[in-house]
Each structure stands twice: as structure tokens, then as C-alpha cells.
Amino acid sequence: MESNQNTEFPIPGRVSADELAVWWERVRRELDSRSDTESWLRQVAEHYLSSDHQFPLAAHKEILRVLSHMEEAHPVLEMRLLGNLETPANLLGQKMGALGACGGASSLIRLDAELSPDKLGSPFVRKMHDTALARLRRRATGKGLVSLSSLSLPAGIALVLECVSGLEDTLAAVLMRECGTMVKTVKSHTMKGKVEVRPGEDWRWDWIDRVRLFEQMRFDTVQSRSVIPSDSMAPVWVEAAVQSGLPDIVSSCTQGARRFAVRVEGATKIASRQLVAVARALEDRLNAVSSEGEGTDRWVNDPRTEDWVFVFTETQKGYLPSLRLDRRLWDRRFEYRGKLVPAASKPTVAAFLAEWAGRLPDGARILDPFCGSGMELIECGIRFPTARLFGGDTSGEALDAAKQNVIAAGVVVQDFRECDVSEWTSGGFDLVVTNPPFGKRARVDDVVRLLETFLKTTAARLVPGGQVVWICPQPKRCTRFAAGLGLMLERKSRLDIGGFEVEAQVLRKH
């Protein structure tokens, strides 16, 4: 098999038409796992423009399906597709999909005004035509500007912070400390992964960077309301969303197009056609309501580039609406994460461990012997800016990632070592903070031996009164073992990390 040398990705050369079609189909299915999707798609487009006549029909269909994943306009590709809409006719549906992805005003005019229904032929082509028109109209509407500082919460709406199960009480305490009189009440839902906040009169949004323990935020209605039965028609779902007051939040802080998506969370599967019907009906209803009032900015149902998501969450009695704002629009806390390694710590869990360390003396020495990509060290460096940080790992790749991340975070680490935990010979540490290896790929016996070695080394390297703040995957066994080494359990909390029940612990050296 030869490769085409005109691109930066290998394209099979001397293979059959069927093999080439299978290759393109595999490429299309692997798109979601790529980190460089848009730039790679532009390479595909350039290859298509230079050699589309060479593709057999089946491969031609697959490459057009690949190009339908583009998010940015490509005028040259658009002109090529518009100039060949009629031939071959059995590619028309796929060309519609690609035009919806890469087209602009020319495509919108051509598809909307010049293609009559009798030219569209099959139901599949008509469906692709309608989908392409919808995408082109959304692009023409433009992107709205969301200003978090302008976001106001109507009466009866609460802010809900979502977190790893087990972090709720600590998150609530940090909120009270950082927000003070800005909040009216804070309610912790233990082991349910959420903290409910009722804002006070002088509410502001400047606390987000200081509260580092939550993953996402959403807006819930707190007044009693009827739930939505799962078999309800679209108007019932739409009425619940509109009457909840959630659209008022979007209107309060968005200038221009209000891009949204609709999603359902729960164990019961909702048919995609029902979800599409709800999204389209909600778009029509919100635009009708907007046109009756003072605002004229359009609501756009766009699940590819949405700023807002109306979430219908399943309960025992039915579904309840809530609203989420795209995390990329408000979360700058963990932008230092430029490079990660498999099974890297969640930065919110790392921030939780740093919070549990309490108060440390100026110049405290902090060690993470399983530092991975550096999350715990970075969060400790942010919380304790005068501390001296030390990190180790057996993986050189992990240490390279950690070095890049600490630089991006503006944190200084005194020493990184590629070594086993037992090889730390220096001591005098005030705090050892870590999230050791565990999970499906690790054998229980191997993990237990590693943890016992870790505890022995830690007991020898801590100063009297020093702490171990860590994630313990074997709490009963490790707590007994640690006590025999003079490391006494002072605090614990059960956590659910990626489906694994573990225990956060604070051990004190006596």
C-alpha cells in the first residue's frame, strides 16, 4: 500500500475502490477522537480539491461525509461543490452535508432559492438539504457575545455547582469563605455531587477563580413545579423550559445570537427524533416570545457551537429543566493543563487536597512522590505561594508533562526526580500530598505493596506533626498500616472518582 505524499496524512494509493472506501469510512469514524480535527479537515479539503476526480463513487461519498464535520467556511471548496451539484446525482445528499459545513452566503442563496423539491429526489436528499440550510442560516446569524458580569438570576433560580461526589461539604465551606455576604444560603447535597447557592443582594461573579473545587455550574429552578412525563409531546417540554424563567438568564447577558442546545440526562433513553422536535419547537417558541418584547436577538438551536444548554434531568417522577453555560466561556482556572498523561488527577480533586492541608508555615516543604502531570503540586503552589515544592514519578513522560504544566501555571518546583517512591532520601517535609496509582489496570496486590512502601517512606520523611493528605484506594488496610507507623487518621471523606470509591484522608505524624 502506497501513500499519497501531497498531504500530511497517509492516503492509500494502489488499492481497490472498495478498500479505499473502507479506509475513508474508518477515517470518518475516528474523527471524534482527534485533537486537531479542524486543521486536519482542511488538509482533507485541500486533497479533495486537488484530486476529487480520482475517487471512485463509494470513496467519494465517504470523503464528503468526512468534510461534513467542518465547522469553518471554506470558500474554494464551496464553489467547487456548488458548481457540480447536479453530477453525479447520487452524490447530491453528501454534497449537501459538506455545503452545510463549509458554505456561506452563496450556498444559502443557492440551496434556499434555486433548488426546487422535484430536483431533490429522495427523502434522504431532502433531509440533507434541510439540515444544510439550517446550518447555513445559523452561521449567517453569527455568534452572540456572552458577558458573565451581566448575568442576573431571576427570583426562584438557584446556582448549582457540580463537583466530584464527596467534595460537597468542603466546596460549600470554601464558597462561604470566599463569597461571604454575597450569598444568602449555601446547601450541600452530600455524595450527590452538587452544592446549591442562593445569591444575596450584592452578588458578583469575581469568586470563580478562587473557588477551585467544582467542575461545572448550572442554573436550577427552586420553586415547586410539575415534572415532564417522558412520553410528553414537544410542546409540554417547551412550556416547562419557558415557564421556568431560565431563558431570562440567557437574555440578561447575551448580545446577538443566543445559541443553545437541548440535552437529556438520565437512565431512560429518549429517541433522538423526539429531542430534535423539542429543540426546534423551543427555538420557534423563544423567537416568538422575543419578537413580542423589546429584544430582537434571535435564538439559534445549534448543538455544534452552542453557548447554552437546556438540560432536562430525569427524576423518579419525570424530567426537570435546568440550564448550563458552556464552560469555555467562564472557566480559566485550569488553563495551565497543556499536557496530560493517562489517569491524570482531576484538578478540582487536586485543589480539594490542597484545601484539606489547612494552614502551613511559610516556606513549608511539600512532596508529591506520584506527581504525574503535576496537578497536586500546582494547586498546592497556588494555595501556598511561599512553599517549596518537590515532585517525583517513575515515568519520564509524566515528569515532562508536569514540567510544562508548572511553567504554564507560574509555579516553581524545586526538584523533579524520575524515581521510585522508596528512593526519596531527603526529608523534612511538612506535607506529602498525592493521588497514587489505582484503577482497573493495577493489580490489588501490587497496589497494596506500593501503598505500604509509600507510607513507610512518608513516615520517615515527614517532620513531627507533618501531614499526609492523599487519595487512599485501600482505606481500611492502609489506615491500620499507617497507624503502626505513627501516622494517625485525623480526617476522611468518601469520594467517587471515575466510578471508583476511594477515601480522601489526612494522616498526622505523631
Side-chain angles (χ1 to χ4, degrees), residues 353-361 365-367 384 429-433 454 458 462-470 487-488 490-491 505-509:
L353 294 177
E355 183 68 31
W356 264 30
R359 295 183 178 180
L360 295 178
R365 289 167 56 87
I366 300 175
L367 168 67
F384 306 108
F429 292 108
D430 300 278
L431 171 66
V432 174
V433 58
F454 160 72
T458 298
L462 278 174
V463 298
Q467 301 178 90
V468 182
V469 182
W470 71 316
L487 299 174
M488 309 307 295
E490 286 195 345
R491 191 177 184 184
Q505 293 186 343
V506 176
L507 306 174
R508 179 84 61 180
K509 181 176 179 179

mmCIF file of all heavy atoms in Angstrom, residues 353-361 365-367 384 429-433 454 458 462-470 487-488 490-491 505-509:
data_model
loop_
_atom_site.group_PDB
_atom_site.id
_atom_site.type_symbol
_atom_site.label_atom_id
_atom_site.label_comp_id
_atom_site.label_asym_id
_atom_site.label_seq_id
_atom_site.Cartn_x
_atom_site.Cartn_y
_atom_site.Cartn_z
ATOM 1 N N LEU A 353 -7.483 18.533 47.767
ATOM 2 C CA LEU A 353 -6.413 18.050 48.650
ATOM 3 C C LEU A 353 -5.601 19.219 49.206
ATOM 4 O O LEU A 353 -5.243 19.220 50.388
ATOM 5 C CB LEU A 353 -5.510 17.082 47.893
ATOM 6 C CG LEU A 353 -6.147 15.756 47.458
ATOM 7 C CD1 LEU A 353 -5.153 14.917 46.662
ATOM 8 C CD2 LEU A 353 -6.651 14.967 48.664
ATOM 9 N N ALA A 354 -5.331 20.215 48.367
ATOM 10 C CA ALA A 354 -4.604 21.395 48.859
ATOM 11 C C ALA A 354 -5.415 22.129 49.920
ATOM 12 O O ALA A 354 -4.870 22.622 50.914
ATOM 13 C CB ALA A 354 -4.289 22.329 47.685
ATOM 14 N N GLU A 355 -6.735 22.181 49.734
ATOM 15 C CA GLU A 355 -7.616 22.814 50.722
ATOM 16 C C GLU A 355 -7.578 22.066 52.039
ATOM 17 O O GLU A 355 -7.546 22.677 53.113
ATOM 18 C CB GLU A 355 -9.038 22.868 50.175
ATOM 19 C CG GLU A 355 -10.041 23.559 51.063
ATOM 20 C CD GLU A 355 -9.800 25.042 51.182
ATOM 21 O OE1 GLU A 355 -9.292 25.665 50.225
ATOM 22 O OE2 GLU A 355 -10.111 25.598 52.256
ATOM 23 N N TRP A 356 -7.579 20.754 51.988
ATOM 24 C CA TRP A 356 -7.563 19.936 53.199
ATOM 25 C C TRP A 356 -6.242 20.041 53.970
ATOM 26 O O TRP A 356 -6.164 19.641 55.124
ATOM 27 C CB TRP A 356 -7.862 18.476 52.852
ATOM 28 C CG TRP A 356 -9.311 18.142 53.049
ATOM 29 C CD1 TRP A 356 -10.365 18.977 52.919
ATOM 30 C CD2 TRP A 356 -9.840 16.869 53.430
ATOM 31 N NE1 TRP A 356 -11.537 18.317 53.189
ATOM 32 C CE2 TRP A 356 -11.247 17.016 53.498
ATOM 33 C CE3 TRP A 356 -9.294 15.622 53.692
ATOM 34 C CZ2 TRP A 356 -12.095 15.974 53.845
ATOM 35 C CZ3 TRP A 356 -10.136 14.577 54.028
ATOM 36 C CH2 TRP A 356 -11.524 14.746 54.110
ATOM 37 N N ALA A 357 -5.202 20.527 53.331
ATOM 38 C CA ALA A 357 -3.924 20.675 54.039
ATOM 39 C C ALA A 357 -4.002 21.742 55.125
ATOM 40 O O ALA A 357 -3.132 21.804 56.006
ATOM 41 C CB ALA A 357 -2.819 21.021 53.040
ATOM 42 N N GLY A 358 -5.037 22.591 55.069
ATOM 43 C CA GLY A 358 -5.199 23.599 56.119
ATOM 44 C C GLY A 358 -4.167 24.690 56.022
ATOM 45 O O GLY A 358 -3.881 25.211 54.947
ATOM 46 N N ARG A 359 -3.572 25.029 57.161
ATOM 47 C CA ARG A 359 -2.546 26.069 57.208
ATOM 48 C C ARG A 359 -1.171 25.435 57.292
ATOM 49 O O ARG A 359 -0.971 24.456 58.007
ATOM 50 C CB ARG A 359 -2.767 26.983 58.402
ATOM 51 C CG ARG A 359 -4.062 27.798 58.326
ATOM 52 C CD ARG A 359 -4.164 28.734 59.514
ATOM 53 N NE ARG A 359 -5.376 29.553 59.445
ATOM 54 C CZ ARG A 359 -5.713 30.455 60.343
ATOM 55 N NH1 ARG A 359 -4.908 30.649 61.405
ATOM 56 N NH2 ARG A 359 -6.831 31.155 60.215
ATOM 57 N N LEU A 360 -0.218 26.022 56.569
ATOM 58 C CA LEU A 360 1.165 25.549 56.587
ATOM 59 C C LEU A 360 2.079 26.720 56.918
ATOM 60 O O LEU A 360 1.752 27.880 56.615
ATOM 61 C CB LEU A 360 1.559 24.954 55.229
ATOM 62 C CG LEU A 360 0.835 23.690 54.775
ATOM 63 C CD1 LEU A 360 1.322 23.282 53.388
ATOM 64 C CD2 LEU A 360 1.063 22.549 55.763
ATOM 65 N N PRO A 361 3.236 26.452 57.529
ATOM 66 C CA PRO A 361 4.173 27.542 57.823
ATOM 67 C C PRO A 361 4.773 28.098 56.530
ATOM 68 O O PRO A 361 4.831 27.415 55.498
ATOM 69 C CB PRO A 361 5.241 26.857 58.689
ATOM 70 C CG PRO A 361 5.168 25.413 58.309
ATOM 71 C CD PRO A 361 3.723 25.142 58.010
ATOM 72 N N ARG A 365 7.830 22.665 53.179
ATOM 73 C CA ARG A 365 8.315 21.737 52.146
ATOM 74 C C ARG A 365 7.194 20.736 51.829
ATOM 75 O O ARG A 365 6.691 20.064 52.736
ATOM 76 C CB ARG A 365 9.568 21.012 52.637
ATOM 77 C CG ARG A 365 10.787 21.923 52.710
ATOM 78 C CD ARG A 365 11.924 21.291 53.496
ATOM 79 N NE ARG A 365 12.329 19.987 52.980
ATOM 80 C CZ ARG A 365 13.223 19.783 52.018
ATOM 81 N NH1 ARG A 365 13.811 20.830 51.441
ATOM 82 N NH2 ARG A 365 13.557 18.572 51.634
ATOM 83 N N ILE A 366 6.837 20.650 50.547
ATOM 84 C CA ILE A 366 5.724 19.806 50.110
ATOM 85 C C ILE A 366 6.228 18.819 49.065
ATOM 86 O O ILE A 366 6.895 19.213 48.100
ATOM 87 C CB ILE A 366 4.580 20.659 49.511
ATOM 88 C CG1 ILE A 366 4.058 21.650 50.549
ATOM 89 C CG2 ILE A 366 3.453 19.781 49.004
ATOM 90 C CD1 ILE A 366 3.021 22.617 50.000
ATOM 91 N N LEU A 367 5.885 17.558 49.236
ATOM 92 C CA LEU A 367 6.318 16.496 48.328
ATOM 93 C C LEU A 367 5.113 15.774 47.735
ATOM 94 O O LEU A 367 4.149 15.462 48.447
ATOM 95 C CB LEU A 367 7.188 15.476 49.070
ATOM 96 C CG LEU A 367 7.496 14.159 48.326
ATOM 97 C CD1 LEU A 367 8.387 14.435 47.113
ATOM 98 C CD2 LEU A 367 8.141 13.146 49.274
ATOM 99 N N PHE A 384 -0.367 27.806 48.466
ATOM 100 C CA PHE A 384 0.729 28.132 49.397
ATOM 101 C C PHE A 384 1.894 28.708 48.587
ATOM 102 O O PHE A 384 2.859 27.995 48.270
ATOM 103 C CB PHE A 384 1.174 26.882 50.163
ATOM 104 C CG PHE A 384 0.055 26.162 50.862
ATOM 105 C CD1 PHE A 384 -0.410 24.937 50.385
ATOM 106 C CD2 PHE A 384 -0.539 26.695 51.988
ATOM 107 C CE1 PHE A 384 -1.429 24.263 51.031
ATOM 108 C CE2 PHE A 384 -1.571 26.033 52.634
ATOM 109 C CZ PHE A 384 -2.016 24.820 52.152
ATOM 110 N N PHE A 429 9.857 17.071 55.323
ATOM 111 C CA PHE A 429 8.671 17.576 54.626
ATOM 112 C C PHE A 429 7.554 17.881 55.618
ATOM 113 O O PHE A 429 7.287 17.104 56.536
ATOM 114 C CB PHE A 429 8.181 16.560 53.592
ATOM 115 C CG PHE A 429 9.133 16.384 52.437
ATOM 116 C CD1 PHE A 429 9.891 15.228 52.304
ATOM 117 C CD2 PHE A 429 9.283 17.395 51.499
ATOM 118 C CE1 PHE A 429 10.766 15.083 51.257
ATOM 119 C CE2 PHE A 429 10.170 17.251 50.437
ATOM 120 C CZ PHE A 429 10.920 16.096 50.312
ATOM 121 N N ASP A 430 6.907 19.018 55.408
ATOM 122 C CA ASP A 430 5.754 19.394 56.226
ATOM 123 C C ASP A 430 4.470 18.754 55.712
ATOM 124 O O ASP A 430 3.527 18.537 56.477
ATOM 125 C CB ASP A 430 5.589 20.920 56.215
ATOM 126 C CG ASP A 430 6.811 21.633 56.769
ATOM 127 O OD1 ASP A 430 6.917 21.720 58.006
ATOM 128 O OD2 ASP A 430 7.644 22.088 55.968
ATOM 129 N N LEU A 431 4.443 18.477 54.421
ATOM 130 C CA LEU A 431 3.235 17.929 53.810
ATOM 131 C C LEU A 431 3.630 16.995 52.672
ATOM 132 O O LEU A 431 4.482 17.342 51.839
ATOM 133 C CB LEU A 431 2.357 19.071 53.253
ATOM 134 C CG LEU A 431 1.154 18.668 52.395
ATOM 135 C CD1 LEU A 431 0.120 17.918 53.226
ATOM 136 C CD2 LEU A 431 0.524 19.901 51.736
ATOM 137 N N VAL A 432 3.020 15.823 52.662
ATOM 138 C CA VAL A 432 3.074 14.932 51.497
ATOM 139 C C VAL A 432 1.655 14.851 50.962
ATOM 140 O O VAL A 432 0.733 14.446 51.677
ATOM 141 C CB VAL A 432 3.605 13.540 51.871
ATOM 142 C CG1 VAL A 432 3.515 12.599 50.670
ATOM 143 C CG2 VAL A 432 5.048 13.632 52.359
ATOM 144 N N VAL A 433 1.465 15.269 49.728
ATOM 145 C CA VAL A 433 0.145 15.291 49.110
ATOM 146 C C VAL A 433 0.216 14.500 47.819
ATOM 147 O O VAL A 433 1.119 14.700 47.011
ATOM 148 C CB VAL A 433 -0.320 16.751 48.850
ATOM 149 C CG1 VAL A 433 0.664 17.503 47.967
ATOM 150 C CG2 VAL A 433 -1.711 16.771 48.238
ATOM 151 N N PHE A 454 4.947 3.419 50.157
ATOM 152 C CA PHE A 454 4.733 4.868 50.231
ATOM 153 C C PHE A 454 4.585 5.326 51.677
ATOM 154 O O PHE A 454 5.196 6.317 52.096
ATOM 155 C CB PHE A 454 3.490 5.232 49.417
ATOM 156 C CG PHE A 454 2.880 6.553 49.776
ATOM 157 C CD1 PHE A 454 3.499 7.745 49.446
ATOM 158 C CD2 PHE A 454 1.670 6.608 50.478
ATOM 159 C CE1 PHE A 454 2.943 8.966 49.787
ATOM 160 C CE2 PHE A 454 1.097 7.823 50.822
ATOM 161 C CZ PHE A 454 1.740 9.009 50.474
ATOM 162 N N THR A 458 7.058 7.812 53.669
ATOM 163 C CA THR A 458 6.482 9.076 54.133
ATOM 164 C C THR A 458 6.681 9.262 55.632
ATOM 165 O O THR A 458 7.046 10.354 56.103
ATOM 166 C CB THR A 458 4.984 9.115 53.796
ATOM 167 O OG1 THR A 458 4.823 9.054 52.388
ATOM 168 C CG2 THR A 458 4.340 10.392 54.322
ATOM 169 N N LEU A 462 8.606 12.751 56.939
ATOM 170 C CA LEU A 462 7.832 13.864 57.486
ATOM 171 C C LEU A 462 8.476 14.397 58.763
ATOM 172 O O LEU A 462 9.044 13.651 59.559
ATOM 173 C CB LEU A 462 6.410 13.417 57.807
ATOM 174 C CG LEU A 462 5.385 13.356 56.671
ATOM 175 C CD1 LEU A 462 4.090 12.753 57.196
ATOM 176 C CD2 LEU A 462 5.127 14.733 56.085
ATOM 177 N N VAL A 463 8.313 15.717 58.972
ATOM 178 C CA VAL A 463 8.711 16.292 60.248
ATOM 179 C C VAL A 463 7.647 15.911 61.284
ATOM 180 O O VAL A 463 6.508 15.572 60.918
ATOM 181 C CB VAL A 463 8.812 17.828 60.142
ATOM 182 C CG1 VAL A 463 9.866 18.234 59.136
ATOM 183 C CG2 VAL A 463 7.459 18.449 59.798
ATOM 184 N N PRO A 464 7.975 15.936 62.580
ATOM 185 C CA PRO A 464 6.944 15.684 63.598
ATOM 186 C C PRO A 464 5.781 16.672 63.438
ATOM 187 O O PRO A 464 5.999 17.882 63.293
ATOM 188 C CB PRO A 464 7.692 15.903 64.909
ATOM 189 C CG PRO A 464 9.119 15.617 64.573
ATOM 190 C CD PRO A 464 9.317 16.094 63.177
ATOM 191 N N GLY A 465 4.565 16.159 63.431
ATOM 192 C CA GLY A 465 3.391 16.995 63.205
ATOM 193 C C GLY A 465 3.066 17.197 61.739
ATOM 194 O O GLY A 465 2.060 17.831 61.405
ATOM 195 N N GLY A 466 3.915 16.659 60.845
ATOM 196 C CA GLY A 466 3.661 16.775 59.410
ATOM 197 C C GLY A 466 2.452 15.955 58.978
ATOM 198 O O GLY A 466 1.989 15.056 59.690
ATOM 199 N N GLN A 467 1.936 16.260 57.791
ATOM 200 C CA GLN A 467 0.700 15.638 57.333
ATOM 201 C C GLN A 467 0.900 14.854 56.037
ATOM 202 O O GLN A 467 1.742 15.206 55.206
ATOM 203 C CB GLN A 467 -0.359 16.696 57.043
ATOM 204 C CG GLN A 467 -0.766 17.593 58.180
ATOM 205 C CD GLN A 467 -1.779 18.610 57.674
ATOM 206 O OE1 GLN A 467 -2.986 18.378 57.694
ATOM 207 N NE2 GLN A 467 -1.286 19.745 57.203
ATOM 208 N N VAL A 468 0.059 13.841 55.883
ATOM 209 C CA VAL A 468 -0.166 13.198 54.594
ATOM 210 C C VAL A 468 -1.606 13.510 54.202
ATOM 211 O O VAL A 468 -2.540 13.185 54.933
ATOM 212 C CB VAL A 468 0.024 11.671 54.663
ATOM 213 C CG1 VAL A 468 -0.160 11.047 53.279
ATOM 214 C CG2 VAL A 468 1.371 11.309 55.257
ATOM 215 N N VAL A 469 -1.791 14.176 53.072
ATOM 216 C CA VAL A 469 -3.130 14.434 52.544
ATOM 217 C C VAL A 469 -3.186 13.730 51.198
ATOM 218 O O VAL A 469 -2.470 14.109 50.266
ATOM 219 C CB VAL A 469 -3.401 15.947 52.385
ATOM 220 C CG1 VAL A 469 -4.815 16.171 51.882
ATOM 221 C CG2 VAL A 469 -3.185 16.665 53.713
ATOM 222 N N TRP A 470 -4.023 12.708 51.113
ATOM 223 C CA TRP A 470 -3.947 11.868 49.930
ATOM 224 C C TRP A 470 -5.269 11.197 49.595
ATOM 225 O O TRP A 470 -6.202 11.193 50.407
ATOM 226 C CB TRP A 470 -2.839 10.828 50.094
ATOM 227 C CG TRP A 470 -3.092 9.720 51.096
ATOM 228 C CD1 TRP A 470 -3.613 9.845 52.356
ATOM 229 C CD2 TRP A 470 -2.812 8.328 50.919
ATOM 230 N NE1 TRP A 470 -3.668 8.615 52.976
ATOM 231 C CE2 TRP A 470 -3.183 7.660 52.115
ATOM 232 C CE3 TRP A 470 -2.278 7.569 49.897
ATOM 233 C CZ2 TRP A 470 -3.033 6.287 52.283
ATOM 234 C CZ3 TRP A 470 -2.124 6.198 50.081
ATOM 235 C CH2 TRP A 470 -2.500 5.578 51.259
ATOM 236 N N LEU A 487 1.378 7.284 61.915
ATOM 237 C CA LEU A 487 0.585 8.214 61.099
ATOM 238 C C LEU A 487 -0.879 7.992 61.450
ATOM 239 O O LEU A 487 -1.493 7.008 61.035
ATOM 240 C CB LEU A 487 0.828 7.962 59.607
ATOM 241 C CG LEU A 487 2.263 8.141 59.097
ATOM 242 C CD1 LEU A 487 2.377 7.710 57.644
ATOM 243 C CD2 LEU A 487 2.718 9.589 59.267
ATOM 244 N N MET A 488 -1.447 8.923 62.216
ATOM 245 C CA MET A 488 -2.788 8.739 62.743
ATOM 246 C C MET A 488 -3.824 9.477 61.892
ATOM 247 O O MET A 488 -3.617 10.616 61.471
ATOM 248 C CB MET A 488 -2.854 9.245 64.190
ATOM 249 C CG MET A 488 -1.750 8.666 65.084
ATOM 250 S SD MET A 488 -1.671 6.849 65.037
ATOM 251 C CE MET A 488 -3.259 6.429 65.766
ATOM 252 N N GLU A 490 -6.757 11.681 60.957
ATOM 253 C CA GLU A 490 -7.427 12.838 61.548
ATOM 254 C C GLU A 490 -8.722 13.209 60.822
ATOM 255 O O GLU A 490 -9.626 13.782 61.413
ATOM 256 C CB GLU A 490 -6.499 14.056 61.529
ATOM 257 C CG GLU A 490 -5.387 13.994 62.552
ATOM 258 C CD GLU A 490 -4.738 15.348 62.750
ATOM 259 O OE1 GLU A 490 -4.953 16.262 61.912
ATOM 260 O OE2 GLU A 490 -4.007 15.513 63.748
ATOM 261 N N ARG A 491 -8.799 12.894 59.553
ATOM 262 C CA ARG A 491 -9.957 13.319 58.768
ATOM 263 C C ARG A 491 -10.113 12.387 57.572
ATOM 264 O O ARG A 491 -9.121 11.898 57.028
ATOM 265 C CB ARG A 491 -9.749 14.758 58.291
ATOM 266 C CG ARG A 491 -10.969 15.433 57.697
ATOM 267 C CD ARG A 491 -10.635 16.883 57.346
ATOM 268 N NE ARG A 491 -11.790 17.604 56.852
ATOM 269 C CZ ARG A 491 -11.761 18.872 56.407
ATOM 270 N NH1 ARG A 491 -10.613 19.539 56.421
ATOM 271 N NH2 ARG A 491 -12.859 19.466 55.977
ATOM 272 N N GLN A 505 -7.946 11.214 52.794
ATOM 273 C CA GLN A 505 -7.515 11.099 54.191
ATOM 274 C C GLN A 505 -6.508 12.189 54.538
ATOM 275 O O GLN A 505 -5.730 12.637 53.683
ATOM 276 C CB GLN A 505 -6.855 9.742 54.442
ATOM 277 C CG GLN A 505 -7.777 8.547 54.339
ATOM 278 C CD GLN A 505 -7.071 7.262 54.735
ATOM 279 O OE1 GLN A 505 -5.828 7.185 54.783
ATOM 280 N NE2 GLN A 505 -7.855 6.235 55.037
ATOM 281 N N VAL A 506 -6.537 12.578 55.806
ATOM 282 C CA VAL A 506 -5.471 13.379 56.400
ATOM 283 C C VAL A 506 -4.865 12.539 57.519
ATOM 284 O O VAL A 506 -5.559 12.172 58.473
ATOM 285 C CB VAL A 506 -5.991 14.714 56.957
ATOM 286 C CG1 VAL A 506 -4.854 15.470 57.651
ATOM 287 C CG2 VAL A 506 -6.599 15.565 55.853
ATOM 288 N N LEU A 507 -3.576 12.224 57.370
ATOM 289 C CA LEU A 507 -2.831 11.487 58.394
ATOM 290 C C LEU A 507 -1.818 12.435 59.023
ATOM 291 O O LEU A 507 -1.174 13.219 58.325
ATOM 292 C CB LEU A 507 -2.096 10.296 57.778
ATOM 293 C CG LEU A 507 -2.928 9.305 56.956
ATOM 294 C CD1 LEU A 507 -2.010 8.265 56.307
ATOM 295 C CD2 LEU A 507 -3.969 8.621 57.835
ATOM 296 N N ARG A 508 -1.681 12.372 60.343
ATOM 297 C CA ARG A 508 -0.754 13.258 61.062
ATOM 298 C C ARG A 508 0.328 12.415 61.726
ATOM 299 O O ARG A 508 0.043 11.402 62.364
ATOM 300 C CB ARG A 508 -1.494 14.054 62.126
ATOM 301 C CG ARG A 508 -0.629 14.985 62.957
ATOM 302 C CD ARG A 508 -0.391 16.302 62.312
ATOM 303 N NE ARG A 508 -1.647 17.038 62.091
ATOM 304 C CZ ARG A 508 -1.688 18.241 61.527
ATOM 305 N NH1 ARG A 508 -0.564 18.829 61.130
ATOM 306 N NH2 ARG A 508 -2.848 18.849 61.345
ATOM 307 N N LYS A 509 1.591 12.857 61.591
ATOM 308 C CA LYS A 509 2.695 12.135 62.214
ATOM 309 C C LYS A 509 2.816 12.532 63.678
ATOM 310 O O LYS A 509 2.943 13.714 64.002
ATOM 311 C CB LYS A 509 4.007 12.424 61.485
ATOM 312 C CG LYS A 509 5.200 11.678 62.073
ATOM 313 C CD LYS A 509 6.464 11.908 61.262
ATOM 314 C CE LYS A 509 7.652 11.175 61.879
ATOM 315 N NZ LYS A 509 8.891 11.365 61.082
#
